[in-house]
């Protein structure tokens, strides 16, 4: 149940853009202020921190993670794909909450698997969840986007992107 302070409040919109952040020596992700406000404005404070692909981490507000649990219960098209991805999310996942200093704990297994222990990372919101990638992964995605930006932009502008 939401506390009285949050009743009637307009939820904070998710931040737009990619921001630098860092995992400290204890495996806590220190979120930028805009991300802290976004999570603080949610009615439930519980988070699920995991990876879907063993490449990037995702910090799910629990309500969004529950949508994945519902999908798991009803998805029938490619059951083996579901089993593999679900295994990864559970293998590397853990429940967490943002602490009073805007930090979220990552499990040892998750941060070691992704190579982000005591490292700078980049964070962005995708579909309401916070994606976390190593600086190395961010630079690779940046280079990939630069290689095809003209073609990609032309396709999207034809579809109505302004």
């Amino acid at each position: 149940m939401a506390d009285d302070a949050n009743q009637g409040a307009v939820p904070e919109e998710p931040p737009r853009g990619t921001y630098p952040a860092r995992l400290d020596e204890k495996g806590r992700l220190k979120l930028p202020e805009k991300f802290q406000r976004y999570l603080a404005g949610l009615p439930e404070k519980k988070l699920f921190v995991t990876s879907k692909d063993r490449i990037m981490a995702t910090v799910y507000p629990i309500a969004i993670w529950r949508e994945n649990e519902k999908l798991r219960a009803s998805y029938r098209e490619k059951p083996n794909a579901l089993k593999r991805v679900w295994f990864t999310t559970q293998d590397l996942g853990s429940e967490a909450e943002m602490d009073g200093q805007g930090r979220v704990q990552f499990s040892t297994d998750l941060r070691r698997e992704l190579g982000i222990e005591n490292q700078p990372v980049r964070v962005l919101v995708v579909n309401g969840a916070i994606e976390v990638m190593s600086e190395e992964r961010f630079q690779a995605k940046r280079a990939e986007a630069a290689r095809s930006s003209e073609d990609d932009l032309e396709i999207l502008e034809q579809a109505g992107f302004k």
Side-chain angles (χ1 to χ4, degrees):
M1 174 181 243
D3 61 21
D4 291 338
N6 284 341
Q7 287 185 349
V10 176
E12 185 78 23
E13 284 194 18
R16 294 174 183 88
T18 303
Y19 294 75
R22 183 174 190 85
L23 262 80
D24 68 15
E25 66 283 350
K26 295 181 181 178
R28 298 171 300 194
L29 172 66
K30 174 67 172 172
L31 290 166
E33 180 65 32
K34 290 180 180 189
F35 290 75
Q36 292 178 40
R37 286 195 310 268
Y38 167 61
L39 290 180
L42 297 175
E44 291 182 276
K45 304 310 174 201
K46 188 186 293 187
L47 306 168
F48 187 63
V49 181
T50 192
S51 176
K52 300 173 280 197
D53 57 10
R54 299 184 182 270
I55 296 170
M56 292 194 307
T58 306
V59 178
Y60 286 97
I62 200 64
I64 294 172
W65 183 252
R66 283 190 197 110
E67 293 174 24
N68 287 336
E69 291 173 333
K70 287 177 186 173
L71 176 67
R72 178 179 181 250
S74 64
Y75 185 78
R76 302 288 178 261
E77 191 170 323
K78 303 264 186 188
N80 289 331
L82 174 67
K83 286 178 188 177
R84 289 187 294 268
V85 171
W86 198 260
F87 177 84
T88 297
T89 66
Q90 299 307 297
D91 179 36
L92 299 175
S94 61
E95 292 182 346
E97 287 191 20
M98 183 175 65
D99 70 14
Q101 296 179 12
R103 300 174 301 195
V104 176
Q105 184 70 48
F106 280 44
S107 73
T108 302
D109 290 342
L110 177 61
R111 56 187 197 262
R112 285 185 181 159
E113 179 81 22
L114 303 183
I116 56 175
E117 284 192 292
N118 202 20
Q119 295 290 320
V121 294
R122 298 290 179 124
V123 295
L124 68 153
V125 175
V126 177
N127 297 325
I130 299 170
E131 290 197 352
V132 181
M133 67 185 88
S134 67
E135 186 64 28
E136 179 181 355
R137 178 72 176 160
F138 174 77
Q139 293 302 334
K141 288 181 81 63
R142 177 183 266 177
E144 178 186 353
R147 284 191 298 275
S148 60
S149 65
E150 276 188 54
D151 293 338
D152 293 344
L153 182 57
E154 185 176 325
I155 290 166
L156 291 177
E157 283 177 338
Q158 289 175 3
F161 192 81
K162 298 178 186 345

